[in-house]
Amino acid sequence: MSSSASAVSRKILVLGATSGIAEATCRIWAAQGASLFLVARNPQKLAVVAADLKTRGAAFVDSLVADLDDTSSHPALLAHAINSLGGMDVAFLAHGILGDQARAEQDFEVAAQILHTNFVSVVSLLTWLANFCVQRHSGLLAVISSVAGDRGRKSNYLYGSSKAGLSAFLGGLRNRVDREGVTVLNIKPGPVKTAMTAAMPNSEKFADVDQVAQSIVKAIDARVDNLYVPFQWGPIMFVIRHIPERIFKKLNL
Ligand SMILES: NC(=O)c1ccc[n+]([C@@H]2O[C@H](COP(=O)([O-])OP(=O)(O)OC[C@H]3O[C@@H](n4cnc5c(N)ncnc54)[C@H](OP(=O)(O)O)[C@@H]3O)[C@@H](O)[C@H]2O)c1
């Protein structure tokens, strides 16, 4: 842990920093000499990630262990992180759970957990962060949603609906804060090789996490609004969104 963030290096707050996608993205930022504040719930994993990013060239690395499901902790956590960084140029929100669709169909508590982690906790963080950025007329909020939010499917509609809610929230938030100089980037990955998907059939064919991370860094640098990654998921989801419901409801997706 360094004692203070450099005034010139980019200041990036990462929530869910031990996620495979976040870690790969942070490796690129570290090599660019960014200042990073990392938040994750697993202290051992977080310590390993933080130490690795320091060796890769990050100008400053600080971290905090937190379960982001605890929304009451968010205001103090975010204020502490931004104080440690000495400001914030980018917030990257990456935490999430796939959940168990079959169990969620039978047990509302399981369904509610998926909605809470993937939607409610992210809305809580973004409410504070967006108001912080609006006050300063600057900042970029990069949030990982999913292609699964583009259309509900029987195999994962709890996860998908949590991400659909998140995507709708991000669109509305952008509509409110873009004119205040704040960028909202909605990142919609297709299947990516990370711990989240390791047990899925054919996961070896999923997108490479380092390539996904490169696309995320580029999209943040270009301050785009939406990113499908890999890019082919844009046209694929366009087609899927437009399949007539009378056909879609009979498909096994
Ligand atoms: N991989 C894909 O195919 C894919 C596709 C589309 C979207 N996404 C989204 O991409 C994001 C990153 O996922 P990933 O693929 O990198 O999977 P991952 O490696 O499993 O990362 C998920 C991360 O979320 C963290 N997390 C979950 N609940 C948390 C909580 N309550 N508090 C703090 N941290 C919590 C996990 O922490 P622990 O390690 O402590 O459990 C883990 O670090 C997620 O939002 C996911 O929904 C992934």
Side-chain angles (χ1 to χ4, degrees):
M1 235 181 256
S2 311
S3 57
S4 67
S6 141
V8 285
S9 79
R10 194 152 54 147
K11 299 173 167 80
I12 305 176
L13 167 61
V14 185
L15 297 145
T18 56
S19 108
I21 295 176
E23 205 188 326
T25 309
C26 286
R27 284 198 290 266
I28 299 172
W29 284 327
Q32 294 174 348
S35 294
L36 299 164
F37 193 99
L38 313 174
V39 181
R41 66 178 169 184
N42 181 313
Q44 289 81 24
K45 278 196 219 169
L46 180 58
V48 170
V49 171
D52 177 61
L53 295 174
K54 280 175 81 175
T55 65
R56 287 172 188 271
F60 169 87
V61 181
D62 197 356
S63 61
L64 185 73
V65 175
D67 184 334
L68 294 171
D69 282 349
D70 178 9
T71 55
S72 67
S73 73
H74 289 175
L77 176 160
L78 295 169
H80 169 79
I82 292 172
N83 187 43
S84 172
L85 275 175
M88 187 195 78
D89 302 307
V90 175
F92 183 37
L93 286 76
H95 68 290
I97 56 170
L98 190 57
D100 185 329
Q101 170 69 30
R103 283 186 58 221
E105 288 169 15
Q106 307 301 325
D107 182 347
F108 171 69
E109 291 307 319
V110 177
Q113 180 63 60
I114 298 170
L115 298 173
H116 185 82
T117 302
N118 293 353
F119 179 59
V120 176
S121 83
V122 186
V123 169
S124 166
L125 292 162
L126 287 172
T127 300
W128 194 98
L129 286 167
N131 290 330
F132 174 86
C133 291
V134 164
Q135 277 175 10
R136 282 152 192 79
H137 300 286
S138 73
L140 186 145
L141 305 170
V143 187
I144 309 185
S145 180
S146 173
V147 295
D150 277 15
R151 193 157 187 183
R153 295 180 290 129
K154 75 172 190 176
S155 60
N156 72 349
Y157 65 83
L158 257 312
Y159 176 79
S161 55
S162 69
K163 295 296 192 178
L166 180 56
S167 288
F169 179 87
L170 294 174
L173 182 66
R174 180 187 302 117
N175 191 220
R176 177 189 140 211
V177 302
D178 185 76
R179 67 200 69 188
E180 306 287 346
V182 182
T183 302
V184 176
L185 167 59
N186 183 354
I187 300 161
K188 294 184 182 179
V192 184
K193 266 182 261 172
T194 65
M196 184 174 281
T197 55
M200 289 183 181
N202 299 318
S203 61
E204 70 285 353
K205 294 183 187 147
F206 291 175
D208 176 71
V209 74
D210 292 312
Q211 285 172 9
V212 168
Q214 276 177 16
S215 299
I216 290 172
V217 169
K218 274 191 201 153
I220 289 173
D221 290 346
R223 299 186 86 90
V224 303
D225 296 323
N226 292 293
L227 172 71
Y228 280 98
V229 60
F231 73 95
Q232 62 265 29
W233 283 95
I236 291 170
M237 294 316 295
F238 179 86
V239 171
I240 289 181
R241 280 196 310 276
H242 288 86
I243 297 173
E245 192 59 32
R246 67 178 187 285
I247 297 169
F248 194 81
K249 69 184 178 185
K250 297 190 192 310
L251 300 177
N252 278 315
L253 292 171

